[in-house]
Amino acid sequence: MMLTDPREIEEAHYARYYARKPVTIVRGRGALVYDEKDNEFVDCTGAYGTCIVGHAHPQVVEAINDQAKKLIACHGSTYNDARATFVSKLSTVLPVPLQRFFLTNSGAEALECAIKVARKATGKRKIVAIKGAFHGKTHGALSATWDPKYRRSFEPLVPDFAHIPFNDSETAKETITNDTAAVLVEPIQGEGGIRVPTRDWMALLSDLIHDAGGLLIADEVQTGFGRTGKMFACEHLGIEPDVLCLGKGIASGLPIGATASTDEAMSALTVGEHTSTFGGNPVVCAAGSATIDVLLSERLVDNAAKVGEYFKAGLLELKGTHRIVRDVRGLGLMLAVETRFDVHEILLQALHEGVLLLDAGRNILRFLPPLCMEASHVDRVLSVLSGVLEREEVAKQLS
Ligand SMILES: Cc1ncc(COP(=O)(O)O)c(C=O)c1O
């Protein structure tokens, strides 16, 4: 029998690698998405943080259409106008020393490039990453990712990676030595539960790796492009990385990653040592250019700061009234609510009431909505969450 329901078809044929939510999303607009029966949801996942300017932004859609009519494929071995426009726009938003880019198809690939650049540019091997970190699931990126549940079945991974505890200065001093090629750090840990490090610790990491003659790699795949209320989260923490990795929303949800670096470090790799068939694809680049235009013209970074503050204040109020909430943290529109129990039931109930939520580990709700989110969307989310938390407290006999 021919299957017609998308859920049944995916269940029958797609690899069972994702923990699925029982919903089929078929369209989106701004901060809202819709299922096949046209039920509306406030999208607090932002398609895992990729949909920064909002779903189906008309300017992005037009740019994709226009480019697709002109040229869909163009390998990096020839020049291309859409790619040139995108890297030129990227150069205007990235910090001055980071003006050379390599374009990939995912965040993990941006990390792969960064690791190779660090090793070749310094002539050293050791990469120091952080406990709790997430950098992706390809073998190089996975070697920097912390959680044993992602790693254990695939060991041995790439050698010479070490993990130091988050916010711990002593171990950092012991581990970052003259044989270290790079310190790799998320300015705010995303998958790890939206954990914001101290400025002092970040400054120490930066000093230690530079004194050791290595590079500071910032993984801004999740935090970059305005998510935290500044263009880059490094700005909150006062650090200036030598290599910066981007991904997620920089082309409004089309597959992309970017490694940005100084000319000197990036030029350590020579012709042919690192390429990608699809990296720098013209349609993706056109979407990326439109994304930067919209981000700037609609002042979405400021909106992330303003609406994020409003959202966080509302979540803190929920913490004040619901014992089930243990902590609220984050910056801009990168927020988390840590609860005393598994959040699975909360996710399901909220979905039922028109709010699409994301988790980050067993007991953490993570909020990565589009940066165009409005206060009225936040009010809807807070009202649904308040009711769901109330019922969970009764179920868990906390109230
Ligand atoms: C900080 C960080 N780095 C890297 C990645 C990997 O990106 P991708 O899933 O596009 O490979 C992610 C994905 O969530 C991430 O949050």
Side-chain angles (χ1 to χ4, degrees):
M1 196 182 68
M2 189 71 174
L3 296 173
T4 52
D5 179 349
R7 275 189 234 176
E8 285 178 6
I9 297 170
E10 286 207 41
E11 284 299 332
H13 295 293
Y14 202 70
R16 295 193 188 90
Y17 296 166
Y18 295 90
R20 302 284 195 150
K21 298 177 182 70
V23 62
T24 304
I25 302 298
V26 297
R27 69 183 180 92
R29 191 78 186 184
L32 303 171
V33 288
Y34 300 83
D35 70 8
E36 75 278 37
K37 296 192 187 102
D38 226 27
N39 293 310
E40 184 177 277
F41 303 86
V42 181
D43 184 9
C44 290
T45 76
Y48 263 70
T50 64
C51 195
I52 54 175
V53 301
H55 290 279
H57 192 290
Q59 215 170 310
V60 177
V61 172
E62 192 184 347
I64 292 171
N65 277 337
D66 288 351
Q67 183 58 44
K69 281 182 213 149
K70 259 174 62 184
L71 185 72
I72 292 178
C74 184
H75 190 258
S77 54
T78 63
Y79 298 99
N80 173 257
D81 55 345
R83 192 185 306 125
T85 303
F86 179 51
V87 291
S88 141
K89 281 183 196 281
L90 257 187
S91 75
T92 64
V93 293
L94 272 138
V96 172
L98 311 183
Q99 294 292 308
R100 199 158 284 276
F101 313 112
F102 180 73
L103 298 177
T104 67
N105 314 288
S106 67
E109 286 171 82
L111 268 297
E112 297 291 339
C113 176
I115 292 163
K116 285 169 78 171
V117 165
R119 284 186 163 175
K120 184 120 195 256
T122 62
K124 308 176 195 194
R125 318 269 357 127
K126 188 163 93 183
I127 308 286
V128 175
I130 316 299
K131 291 190 177 178
F134 184 84
H135 298 291
K137 293 176 184 169
T138 53
H139 262 65
L142 184 59
S143 307
T145 289
W146 163 248
D147 198 330
K149 80 176 177 217
Y150 298 134
R151 301 164 55 95
R152 75 169 69 89
S153 304
F154 309 102
E155 286 171 347
L157 294 170
V158 179
D160 296 328
F161 280 73
H163 287 87
I164 58 172
F166 185 80
N167 266 347
D168 179 297
S169 302
E170 286 318 305
T171 326
K173 287 179 197 157
E174 284 159 20
T175 315
I176 301 165
T177 47
N178 284 341
D179 60 349
T180 309
V183 168
L184 169 53
V185 63
E186 291 162 272
I188 299 175
Q189 287 191 343
E191 288 280 325
I194 315 290
R195 299 204 297 158
V196 187
T198 64
R199 281 177 70 96
D200 284 353
W201 186 64
M202 289 296 262
L204 177 74
L205 295 185
S206 174
D207 289 348
L208 288 171
I209 190 60
H210 288 142
D211 289 350
L215 303 180
L216 181 66
I217 307 174
D219 180 350
E220 292 241 24
V221 166
Q222 195 164 140
T223 52
F225 263 49
R227 166 67 51 204
T228 65
K230 290 199 187 286
M231 187 56 92
F232 300 104
C234 285
E235 296 168 46
H236 290 289
L237 295 156
I239 51 160
E240 292 177 2
D242 308 292
V243 183
L244 193 145
C245 297
L246 292 169
K248 298 253 186 226
I250 68 173
S252 288
L254 260 57
I256 189 168
T259 313
S261 166
T262 57
D263 183 39
E264 192 192 349
M266 189 77 81
S267 302
L269 272 65
T270 52
V271 173
E273 279 195 314
H274 197 73
T275 59
S276 159
T277 299
F278 292 123
N281 170 277
V283 178
V284 178
C285 285
S289 294
T291 303
I292 294 176
D293 290 346
V294 173
L295 202 63
L296 299 180
S297 67
E298 297 187 5
R299 304 183 63 83
L300 293 180
V301 184
D302 291 345
N303 193 63
K306 196 176 80 198
V307 177
E309 203 173 313
Y310 178 70
F311 202 164
K312 192 172 177 183
L315 294 173
L316 283 166
E317 257 180 54
L318 289 182
K319 180 176 177 241
T321 47
H322 293 86
R323 283 183 53 215
I324 194 170
V325 178
R326 188 184 273 157
D327 192 21
V328 169
R329 52 183 180 263
L331 285 171
L333 284 171
M334 183 174 185
L335 298 168
V337 170
E338 184 176 328
T339 68
R340 295 181 195 281
F341 297 99
D342 196 309
V343 293
H344 183 68
E345 193 54 36
I346 297 176
L347 291 178
L348 289 182
Q349 288 190 37
L351 182 66
H352 201 62
E353 295 183 34
V355 173
L356 195 55
L357 291 176
L358 186 64
D359 52 354
R362 199 186 60 82
N363 66 330
I364 295 170
L365 296 172
R366 178 169 38 151
F367 302 85
L368 298 175
L371 307 187
C372 60
M373 196 181 217
E374 296 166 13
S376 60
H377 300 128
V378 173
D379 291 341
R380 267 168 74 180
V381 174
L382 292 172
S383 152
V384 166
L385 257 185
S386 175
V388 172
L389 292 172
E390 189 85 53
R391 287 198 296 280
E392 271 297 280
E393 285 188 332
V394 173
K396 299 282 189 302
Q397 302 185 329
L398 273 180
S399 62

